[in-house]
């Protein structure tokens, strides 16, 4: 049992700089999600996490990460963590080429990405296009998604609701 487990179980726990600490009352351990795309991040998620959170993935790259995550989980004799993916883009009533290019340029500039890579991972378009892209990511192993949208919040929620209907 690790230190976090002992702390959450309200057991006295020796912490290097604080001495012995007891937290009370006991609480269940929350799920731990670990992010990052480097191999070390995948290994940490497989060893310690209940979930792994990635970003900027095409279906092919996501599948490679999920497969690697599974290999590491087997090494640690643990189940493969759940897989979450942060999606960047904008949901629109109708997709226009200039919208995709504008959003890709912004994504590339914000994260120091190659513009072609930004275009490849960008979720942009109407609900039908978004549902198609998300379905491919689900097929590649994603369990859940977080969406960073350039579309106004209320309209994003309405369009995401439509995407969800299409995915059912």
């Amino acid at each position: 049992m690790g230190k976090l487990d002992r702390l959450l179980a309200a057991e006295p726990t020796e912490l290097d700089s604080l001495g012995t600490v007891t937290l009370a009352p006991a609480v269940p351990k929350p799920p731990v999600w670990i992010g990052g795309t480097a191999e070390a991040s995948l290994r940490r998620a497989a060893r310690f996490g209940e979930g792994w959170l990635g970003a900027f993935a095409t279906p092919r790259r996501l599948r490679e990460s999920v497969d690697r995550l599974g290999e590491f989980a087997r090494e640690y004799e643990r189940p493969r963590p759940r897989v979450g993916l942060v999606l960047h883009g904008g949901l629109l009533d109708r997709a226009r080429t200039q919208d995709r290019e504008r959003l890709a340029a912004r994504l590339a500039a914000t994260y120091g990405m190659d513009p072609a890579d930004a275009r490849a991972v960008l979720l942009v378009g109407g609900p039908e296009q978004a549902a198609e892209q998300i379905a491919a990511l689900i097929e590649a192993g994603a369990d859940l998604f977080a969406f960073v949208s350039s579309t106004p919040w209320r309209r994003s929620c309405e369009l995401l609701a439509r995407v969800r209907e299409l995915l059912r």
Side-chain angles (χ1 to χ4, degrees):
M1 181 182 282
K3 289 183 181 183
L4 177 60
D5 295 317
R6 288 194 302 276
L7 283 168
L8 294 173
E11 295 178 8
T13 305
E14 182 66 32
L15 298 178
D16 299 331
S17 61
L18 298 174
T20 301
V21 174
T22 304
L23 300 179
V27 295
K29 181 180 173 189
V32 174
W33 283 72
I34 297 170
T37 55
E39 186 156 312
S41 301
L42 294 169
R43 185 174 285 283
R44 248 187 318 278
R47 185 170 180 192
F48 300 112
E50 283 74 43
W52 170 71
L53 187 63
F56 309 124
T58 61
R60 182 187 58 76
R61 281 191 281 184
L62 180 61
R63 173 49 57 200
E64 291 169 0
S65 294
V66 169
D67 289 347
R68 196 73 175 125
L69 192 60
E71 292 170 16
F72 291 140
R74 283 188 294 280
E75 273 182 41
Y76 296 115
E77 298 179 353
R78 296 188 71 224
R80 180 184 60 86
R82 294 186 68 201
V83 174
L85 189 62
V86 178
L87 302 175
H88 293 264
L91 288 176
L92 311 163
D93 293 301
R94 60 190 169 97
R96 298 180 312 209
T97 302
Q98 64 264 32
D99 293 319
R100 175 174 285 283
E101 291 305 314
R102 177 180 51 81
L103 291 171
R106 185 184 314 158
L107 185 66
T110 300
Y111 293 100
M113 297 172 69
D114 178 89
D117 289 340
R119 277 191 297 280
V121 300
L122 192 64
L123 180 71
V124 66
E128 293 77 13
Q129 291 91 358
E132 204 172 287
Q133 286 178 266
I134 291 171
L137 293 166
I138 291 169
E139 180 70 27
D143 297 307
L144 60 91
F145 300 93
F147 188 54
V148 179
S149 177
S150 64
T151 306
W153 180 82
R154 192 170 307 278
R155 188 65 186 139
S156 281
C157 289
E158 292 166 355
L159 292 167
L160 282 169
R162 179 72 183 123
V163 171
R164 187 175 182 186
E165 288 173 17
L166 292 167
L167 288 169
R168 287 187 176 170

